[in-house]
Amino acid sequence: MSSQLLVASHAAGKGTEADAVFSILQKANEAIAQFGKANVVNGSIGAIYDEEEKFATLYAVEDYLRQMPAPELMNYAPIAGMSEFQEAAIKQTFLGFQPEKTFAKAVATPGGTGAVRHVIYNYLEQGQKVLIPDWAWGPYLTIAHEQLRGIETYTMFDEEYRFNLNSIMEKTEELLQTQDNLVIIFNTPAHNPTGYSITVEEWRKLIEFFRACAADEKKRIIPLIDIAYIDYAGTPEETRGFMKLFANLPSNILVTFAFSMSKSFLIYGLRSGALIGLSSSAEVIEEFYRVNSCSNRGVWSNGTRCAQKLLADVEANPALKAKVEEQRGFFRNLLFERANIFLKEAQEIDLQLTPYHSGFFITVPTVNPKAVVEKLIQERIYVVPLKNGIRIATCGIPSYKIPGVATKIKKAL
Ligand code: PLP
């Protein structure tokens, strides 16, 4: 059937490819119905499930939401977000590591997804390309195409699986020959799908490079740091230390952060996050706030009030904050424990992985992802095929089911 009946030409062909994650999840659910939960390893979805494979929540968050009065739960929020929420989002993003002499503002968005959308739309001209890594969260492409922007990719790792700064530099220089605006996405720490975190030393080199690019004052350099998994990646110093390096940048570099409450508070479906802008220039930040607030009005109106209120209250209430952090710490440790079981076995059997530091996923590179996934399905193991690998969502697999998975993957390879 033609993929264009009534839609406009830019919409033709949209949605013709099934979503890789949700189609594997559906198969896993069918297998669970047929063979029972105990006999299926479901490593498809990017949400935490506990050791009994129940949807995990932070109890302090759940309790707090359940007692909220109706207006806080259900009323509209201001278009750019409640001001206490904006302040709390900035605080939670930097946790004391905001560089000196910088200005920061936040605009509420429906999750990190909304923040990515605004940067791609408001900081690139129509038809320009956003630069992303070759290992990347699929929706970056969808979001770019939806805004009539293109995609260019850099090679994230070299042959020895070291972070490939050279590729970033080459691709950036190439793009800057044809466009004055550069939006480049980094999903760090705890990158989806590999679990890689860019080191402070790598950040130092990147920033030096961006400074050199910005010496040409016509160029506008907009790094977008997607921090969706930051709260599961280590201590504040380990996860945010690099942010201090964004001091004294020229005004044609605007650093942006996609802040998300989905994983940090395990409230994926409540759709809350923020786009945060950081600059040495007050004017750049005023423009950032004005333009992105206006985009809120024009795309989804306002965000989810109860989630905004939750973040603001957690920030204002030390006892509640301590509880949330303790419960989140429990799941952070659980993620590390599960990953360690897999990593140890992979090392013992010499299974090549992309470099993993932390997070919800581990990735095995392969040139035959679809065939490997099919073989694993025969073993009742459900993982997601990527372009050049398979992604195992250890966030959803209870510890007792992880031993043996690496070995079966090696066999399937
Ligand atoms: N970025 C990455 C890499 C993700 O994996 C996700 C969620 O899966 C997000 C951003 C955004 O999530 P949300 O829009 O729910 O905040």
Side-chain angles (χ1 to χ4, degrees):
M1 193 173 75
S2 161
S3 57
Q4 186 178 4
L5 297 175
L6 300 193
V7 297
S9 58
H10 67 264
K14 252 206 249 188
T16 44
E17 264 184 49
D19 183 284
V21 177
F22 287 95
S23 51
I24 287 289
L25 175 64
Q26 194 187 341
K27 288 186 183 166
N29 284 335
E30 284 162 12
I32 289 167
Q34 193 178 349
F35 304 109
K37 196 152 80 172
N39 299 309
V40 173
V41 176
N42 181 4
S44 60
I45 191 89
I48 301 182
Y49 282 78
D50 68 13
E51 292 292 86
E52 288 165 10
E53 294 182 71
K54 294 207 188 90
F55 178 78
T57 63
L58 306 180
Y59 297 120
V61 167
E62 190 182 343
D63 291 348
Y64 200 74
L65 287 169
R66 286 187 190 278
Q67 59 76 50
M68 249 184 207
E72 294 298 3
L73 201 57
M74 296 177 227
N75 204 349
Y76 286 122
I79 297 292
M82 299 162 85
S83 60
E84 315 89 279
F85 167 78
Q86 295 171 349
E87 279 164 34
I90 292 171
K91 229 169 152 184
Q92 181 66 25
T93 294
F94 293 109
L95 287 182
F97 292 93
Q98 181 175 344
E100 279 146 35
K101 299 195 191 137
T102 51
F103 299 89
K105 283 212 171 186
V107 172
T109 54
T113 303
V116 172
R117 185 267 164 206
H118 278 359
V119 173
I120 289 178
Y121 186 72
N122 286 324
Y123 289 92
L124 286 176
E125 302 287 340
Q126 187 167 325
Q128 287 184 342
K129 291 179 177 170
V130 52
L131 185 54
I132 65 169
D134 51 354
W135 295 103
W137 187 47
Y140 295 142
L141 268 93
T142 318
I143 297 168
H145 292 152
E146 188 70 18
Q147 318 310 318
L148 309 184
R149 271 67 177 156
I151 287 276
E152 185 61 70
T153 52
Y154 61 85
T155 309
M156 189 164 161
F157 301 113
D158 65 15
E159 272 124 48
E160 265 99 56
Y161 287 100
R162 286 174 308 212
F163 188 59
N164 196 340
L165 286 163
N166 285 338
S167 175
I168 294 177
M169 293 178 190
E170 269 169 31
K171 289 288 178 167
T172 298
E173 281 167 356
E174 238 173 76
L175 271 186
L176 285 177
Q177 278 175 15
T178 54
Q179 59 187 62
D180 284 338
N181 299 30
L182 176 85
V183 169
I184 174 165
I185 299 184
F186 301 100
N187 171 210
T188 187
H191 169 259
N192 173 6
T194 66
Y196 187 75
S197 300
I198 299 175
T199 66
V200 170
E201 209 30 58
E202 287 158 349
W203 270 119
R204 234 184 266 287
K205 290 180 183 154
L206 278 173
I207 293 166
E208 196 182 316
F209 171 67
F210 290 139
R211 265 182 206 283
C213 297
D216 177 349
E217 289 173 8
K218 279 198 316 295
K219 303 296 176 192
R220 295 126 181 219
I221 313 289
I222 325 289
L224 167 56
I225 307 168
D226 178 348
I227 54 172
Y229 298 92
I230 195 165
D231 289 322
Y232 297 91
T235 62
E237 166 84 44
E238 288 164 342
T239 54
R240 277 108 167 146
F242 73 94
M243 294 177 183
K244 280 272 183 197
L245 300 175
F246 298 125
N248 300 315
L249 293 177
S251 60
N252 54 338
I253 300 182
L254 168 68
V255 182
T256 56
F257 296 88
F259 164 80
S260 169
M261 292 184 74
S262 297
K263 325 283 174 194
S264 294
F265 291 82
L266 304 184
I267 54 166
Y268 324 85
L270 288 185
R271 310 307 306 134
S272 189
L275 171 60
I276 291 168
L278 179 81
S279 171
S280 57
S281 156
E283 288 83 16
V284 167
I285 287 298
E286 283 314 314
E287 178 192 58
F288 164 89
Y289 186 75
R290 172 171 52 79
V291 163
N292 291 300
S293 305
C294 182
S295 277
N296 270 6
R297 193 37 157 159
V299 186
W300 43 68
S301 186
N302 54 97
T304 309
R305 187 180 185 100
C306 62
Q308 294 184 15
K309 176 77 175 143
L310 169 74
L311 186 73
D313 287 353
V314 166
E315 211 41 68
N317 179 340
L320 178 60
K321 188 170 185 177
K323 270 202 235 166
V324 168
E325 284 181 352
E326 190 197 327
Q327 289 163 16
R328 189 190 289 135
F330 170 83
F331 287 113
R332 182 165 50 237
N333 289 338
L334 183 64
L335 290 181
F336 276 117
E337 281 165 24
R338 289 177 181 173
N340 281 338
I341 299 171
F342 188 93
L343 296 178
K344 191 162 165 280
E345 185 175 319
Q347 198 181 22
E348 281 164 9
I349 60 169
D350 205 17
L351 174 67
Q352 177 73 61
L353 310 175
T354 53
Y356 175 91
H357 293 150
S358 53
F360 283 37
F361 313 104
I362 296 175
T363 284
V364 179
T366 166
V367 288
N368 265 328
K370 288 204 172 115
V372 173
V373 165
E374 284 307 318
K375 283 203 169 160
L376 289 169
I377 287 178
Q378 288 162 21
E379 304 273 355
R380 297 189 198 139
I381 295 173
Y382 293 81
V383 295
V384 173
L386 309 168
K387 206 164 49 178
N388 291 309
I390 57 167
R391 187 190 80 169
I392 301 108
T394 40
C395 56
I397 310 177
S399 309
Y400 79 92
K401 286 188 181 174
I402 295 178
V405 172
T407 304
K408 285 181 179 154
I409 291 174
K410 174 115 184 181
K411 217 172 108 202
L413 286 169

